[in-house]
Amino acid sequence: MSKIRTILAGSLVSVAALATATNAARAEFINILTGGTSGVYYPLGVALSEIYAKGIEGSRTQVQATKASVENLNLLASGKGEVAFALGDSVQSAWAGDTEAGFKAPLTNLRAIGGIYNNYVQVVAEAAAGVTTITDLKGKSISVGAPASGTELNARAIFKAAEMSYEDMSKVEYLPFGESAELIKNRQIQSTLSSAGLGAAFIKDLATTHEITVVAVPAEIVNSIGAPYVADVIPAGTYKGQDADVPTAAITNILVTSEKVSEETVYQMTKLMFENVEALKSAHSAAAAIDATKAVNSLPIPLHPGAEKYYREIGVLK
């Protein structure tokens, strides 16, 4: 009898060990693709990683700093991430396989979690440059973001609509936000164009040490581009020295995943994001615009079934 008990006990231990090993193998790995550390995507990605690590049982999360939208979508489509931040126009280009935008083929395995907040094209110049509207940039020096990044694609679209090109500038740099601001501080360039949430840290920092002008992009220029661009304003007081609303373009940011990620995981990611907006707002004020009732509007790619399940559950989709 004791021998039988010993055999049974050994078998139970083996089964338990196998179950543990199986569960470990199934541990959910969630790599969150963001952007440069001085932008908005990165702090929101860090906050999401903490939310997911606590809320999704057995998950392991990681935040990856990247060149943002275009790189994120290519990484996501190739299985090197589970969720990514991206601009709506970049997502649209990825789905279409726009080679000029940085996509070698249509990325049809992308799926949307939802729209989260608007990016604003924010052009700032040192006050001494005398630039007040986008066409005043002719003959000036500028940084337009990392090559083929979402920001740089926005720059191309804005300048084209204003009947301008990079050739109209005296100098063009292709640098991330933080480095662009440093060049302005060191008087190596006169302006920078960024696509980011309102209250971008690098612009706030620049405005504390330098007199800057927030440059207008008139509504008629924005409207000539069309969707997903919409005319909007940077509200007065967003940055030090900005005493009036400044017209510009806005583009929806989308949280994107892949069809390869399970329905349950995406359901949990969607639900946890909307249930923890306060924590995201603590990471960056741009998260104040995150609203589940608006998240499914005008998406350029299909929703992931897991996200769709959540929106039906809360009545946003019928």
Side-chain angles (χ1 to χ4, degrees), residues 165-302:
S165 72
Y166 292 161
E167 293 179 0
D168 291 312
M169 315 301 168
S170 63
K171 179 182 179 182
V172 178
E173 297 283 359
Y174 299 86
L175 295 169
F177 300 160
E179 292 176 42
S180 300
E182 288 302 314
L183 288 185
I184 293 177
K185 289 179 183 179
N186 296 329
R187 305 195 184 284
Q188 293 175 276
I189 58 170
Q190 295 165 293
S191 61
T192 184
L193 181 150
S194 64
S195 182
L198 293 174
F202 83 100
I203 300 178
K204 282 188 170 182
D205 176 65
L206 180 62
T208 61
T209 59
H210 284 63
E211 285 190 31
I212 64 168
T213 302
V214 182
V215 179
V217 182
E220 58 268 25
I221 289 177
V222 180
N223 292 335
S224 72
I225 305 172
Y229 291 79
V230 294
D232 208 326
V233 299
I234 301 170
T238 299
Y239 301 106
K240 183 180 178 182
Q242 183 204 342
D243 300 324
D245 290 352
V246 176
T248 195
I251 312 103
T252 301
N253 283 288
I254 302 172
L255 203 63
V256 186
T257 187
S258 162
E259 64 180 2
K260 296 177 183 177
V261 183
S262 74
E263 180 175 332
E264 179 58 24
T265 296
V266 175
Y267 168 77
Q268 291 294 338
M269 289 197 296
T270 310
K271 178 181 174 71
L272 287 165
M273 177 177 69
F274 289 113
E275 289 182 350
N276 289 275
V277 171
E278 288 302 315
L280 293 171
K281 283 165 61 178
S282 296
H284 198 285
S285 59
I290 295 176
D291 183 347
T293 64
K294 301 175 182 177
V296 299
N297 296 341
S298 304
L299 294 173
I301 59 174

Side-chain angles (χ1 to χ4, degrees), residues 6-43:
T6 301
I7 292 170
L8 286 173
S11 298
L12 290 172
V13 169
S14 298
V15 170
L18 179 61
T20 301
T22 301
N23 289 336
R26 290 177 180 172
E28 196 76 44
F29 183 68
I30 301 172
N31 187 29
I32 302 172
L33 304 165
T34 59
T37 55
S38 61
V40 179
Y41 288 173
Y42 188 80

Side-chain angles (χ1 to χ4, degrees), residues 116-162:
I116 44 178
Y117 68 92
N118 281 349
N119 253 29
Y120 292 77
V121 172
Q122 298 176 72
V123 185
V124 297
E126 58 179 3
V131 176
T132 58
T133 191
I134 193 75
T135 51
D136 293 338
L137 286 169
K138 290 180 179 179
K140 309 296 183 183
S141 52
I142 190 168
S143 177
V144 293
S149 64
T151 285
E152 203 255 315
L153 295 181
N154 290 167
R156 291 188 213 174
I158 293 294
F159 288 143
K160 182 178 180 181

